[in-house]
Amino acid sequence: MLLSKGLEIEMYTGTSDGQIVGLSERIVKDLEGFVLEPDSRNVEYTTVPLSSYDRLLCATILPRHNLRKYLQRIGNFTLIPGSTLSLGNSDRFYRSDLHNLYHSYIEKTYGTRVVTASIHINIGINDPETLIRACRLIRLEAPLYLALSASSPFLDGQITGYHSTRWHLFPHTPEHVPLFKSHGHFVCWTEEQLTRQTMQNVRHLWTSVRPNGDNRPYNLNRLELRICDLIVEPIALLSVVALLEARLIQLIDDPSLDPLIHSQLSPDELLTITAHNEKVVAKDSLTAQLIHWRDGRRIDAKSWIQELYQEILPTAKQKGFSCFLNPIKRILRDGNLAQQWIRKYQFGCPISLILAQEIEAVAKLEEELEDKLCQSLLVA
């Protein structure tokens, strides 16, 4: 059996030349399955938990297909790739719900640093101790997933020097989050943060990865990877999901992969390493020079991902989903979206044209996938 997988997908709306326009209030009112973000310029939808990759692909595409048709109808709008306000207006917050007190807190405390688009990947793990163990491992390897997904090299019409400007700017809250030793440790720590108001509610834990469930922190049933930039190409997105699932199956089968057992370094050293790795990956993505959590050796992100790919490949083959890993090799060869955009920019292509070309290419790809794959799957 494969693990269940669900996606939370945030996307910007706007015009075909890349200008972002806030439409979320209208979308949420008129379309089912979409929810508000604090700023009206992006909107979120969530897929139901699914084990099948084919069905997950269509669950990703079909809401977007319906949203595209709606956006065309209300004013020839479209969906904008990238994870930051690439062409501008990061100096102003456009509230989607003026009466939401949590949104008010977010605007006042963090401003537009949170007005980003991203992918949150949820993988089902029902046993709480296994889940906490999985969070320890994936937190230390989360920078690798950011390296694959980086798609935010621009902000306010300028190149920023970061491949993931989103993760560079995004507030990581609370300031210090330990490697949780057990479910009980997570419960006690969360209750303490709520008492001290370093967290406003149980959702206010903004780290690269966190335990999730319907009654946090007590009832948990999934790992949520939150570090990824928006992976706008559906097939590439599934490859990152497959890499994560294979790694988690490995850990479930072999609990000794737990960093508290498998690493030569102390928990404090592991936290220092992962903070360093997240920072340098936000800047340089696949070319970033990282520190490996197992033994402290230096390794670039691309080489580490190649090692991880070979390590998890037998597991993915045994479970029957290794074909979905193939796009990882293409990303490593051609670069992530941020690297592709930076190359175009360095060759003299304006940012607005880079976005317009990507908007058109992604819309065409989604239409082809919906026609060829999703319709036949729905009929079947």
Side-chain angles (χ1 to χ4, degrees):
M1 289 292 292
L2 300 184
L3 303 177
S4 63
K5 299 164 281 287
L7 303 172
E8 300 168 55
I9 302 174
E10 302 165 345
M11 300 191 77
Y12 295 118
T13 56
T15 60
S16 59
D17 62 356
Q19 298 291 337
I20 295 172
V21 180
L23 299 166
S24 65
E25 301 102 313
R26 296 179 66 179
I27 294 167
V28 170
K29 179 182 177 182
D30 295 340
L31 289 181
E32 290 187 7
F34 293 88
V35 297
L36 294 175
E37 289 293 294
D39 190 288
S40 66
R41 288 170 288 188
N42 54 9
V43 69
E44 178 181 299
Y45 70 96
T46 303
T47 68
V48 298
L50 295 164
S51 298
S52 162
Y53 278 89
D54 291 333
R55 293 192 175 276
L56 182 61
L57 175 63
C58 293
T60 301
I61 293 173
L62 290 175
R64 207 179 295 181
H65 176 75
N66 294 334
L67 178 56
R68 284 186 186 280
K69 290 195 296 184
Y70 172 81
L71 292 172
Q72 283 276 315
R73 190 169 68 248
I74 67 170
N76 199 29
F77 295 113
T78 188
L79 296 171
I80 312 293
S83 284
T84 45
L85 299 164
S86 296
L87 294 183
N89 294 329
S90 74
D91 58 339
R92 181 179 171 188
F93 210 99
Y94 292 80
R95 283 285 296 278
S96 63
D97 181 356
L98 294 175
H99 303 292
N100 188 309
L101 295 180
Y102 184 44
H103 289 188
S104 298
Y105 172 84
I106 289 172
E107 179 188 9
K108 180 179 178 180
T109 307
Y110 307 114
T112 57
R113 287 189 295 160
V114 301
V115 186
T116 64
S118 65
I119 296 282
H120 295 178
I121 305 172
N122 289 267
I123 307 288
I125 301 176
N126 288 318
D127 178 70
E129 297 304 334
T130 301
L131 174 55
I132 296 297
R133 185 183 305 119
C135 287
R136 289 196 291 266
L137 175 62
I138 301 305
R139 186 171 174 193
L140 295 175
E141 296 182 352
L144 305 181
Y145 298 90
L146 179 59
L148 289 165
S149 67
S151 64
S152 51
F154 308 130
L155 182 68
D156 290 333
Q158 302 290 327
I159 192 166
T160 65
Y162 289 84
H163 293 191
S164 176
T165 305
R166 166 188 162 269
W167 197 249
H168 168 62
L169 294 175
F170 199 86
H172 305 157
T173 301
E175 186 174 338
H176 177 77
V177 180
L179 283 176
F180 299 111
K181 299 176 183 177
S182 65
H183 181 211
H185 182 200
F186 176 62
V187 169
C188 292
W189 180 86
T190 303
E191 291 175 341
E192 181 183 357
Q193 305 314 303
L194 294 172
T195 300
R196 295 169 54 190
Q197 294 191 315
T198 56
M199 287 170 56
Q200 296 299 301
N201 53 51
V202 294
R203 293 178 294 155
H204 193 209
L205 172 55
W206 296 348
T207 53
S208 59
V209 62
R210 69 184 182 189
N212 204 344
D214 297 332
N215 184 26
R216 287 171 281 179
Y218 310 107
N219 299 327
L220 305 172
N221 62 7
R222 59 192 183 272
L223 176 145
E224 181 187 2
L225 181 66
R226 300 171 50 83
I227 199 171
C228 290
D229 273 10
L230 175 63
I231 309 170
V232 73
E233 183 187 331
I235 300 295
L237 171 58
L238 258 61
S239 72
V240 175
V241 175
L243 185 71
L244 176 60
E245 178 176 12
R247 188 58 164 159
L248 290 173
I249 292 173
Q250 257 198 324
L251 177 68
I252 292 169
D253 292 342
D254 182 8
S256 70
L257 290 173
D258 183 348
L260 295 184
I261 298 172
H262 205 56
S263 177
Q264 302 173 16
L265 308 174
S266 70
D268 286 342
E269 288 173 320
L270 292 174
L271 285 176
T272 300
I273 282 173
T274 196
H276 164 83
N277 288 347
E278 287 185 24
K279 287 180 181 178
V280 296
V281 164
K283 188 174 191 306
D284 296 323
S285 67
L286 291 169
T287 63
Q289 298 298 307
L290 309 182
I291 304 171
H292 203 296
W293 62 264
R294 285 180 180 168
D295 51 15
R297 64 188 166 100
R298 298 278 176 170
I299 183 171
D300 64 87
K302 182 177 179 180
S303 297
W304 191 347
I305 294 167
Q306 288 170 331
E307 286 186 5
L308 180 61
Y309 184 97
Q310 293 302 320
E311 189 175 343
I312 60 88
L313 188 57
T315 298
K317 285 182 176 179
Q318 181 186 17
K319 296 294 183 178
F321 64 90
S322 60
C323 61
F324 290 98
L325 286 168
N326 288 335
I328 296 288
K329 294 185 286 187
R330 173 167 53 84
I331 297 171
L332 296 179
R333 183 188 68 238
D334 299 338
N336 55 43
L337 191 58
Q339 290 173 309
Q340 295 174 37
W341 284 1
I342 290 168
R343 285 198 295 268
K344 290 182 179 181
Y345 179 83
Q346 290 171 339
F347 277 108
C349 192
I351 295 173
S352 57
L353 181 57
I354 293 171
L355 289 172
Q357 291 173 344
E358 196 70 36
I359 289 167
E360 184 178 357
V362 171
K364 182 179 179 181
L365 175 62
E366 287 180 11
E367 185 177 354
E368 291 173 353
L369 290 172
E370 198 271 339
D371 286 343
K372 293 178 181 178
L373 299 179
C374 296
Q375 292 302 325
S376 61
L377 186 62
L378 289 172
V379 171

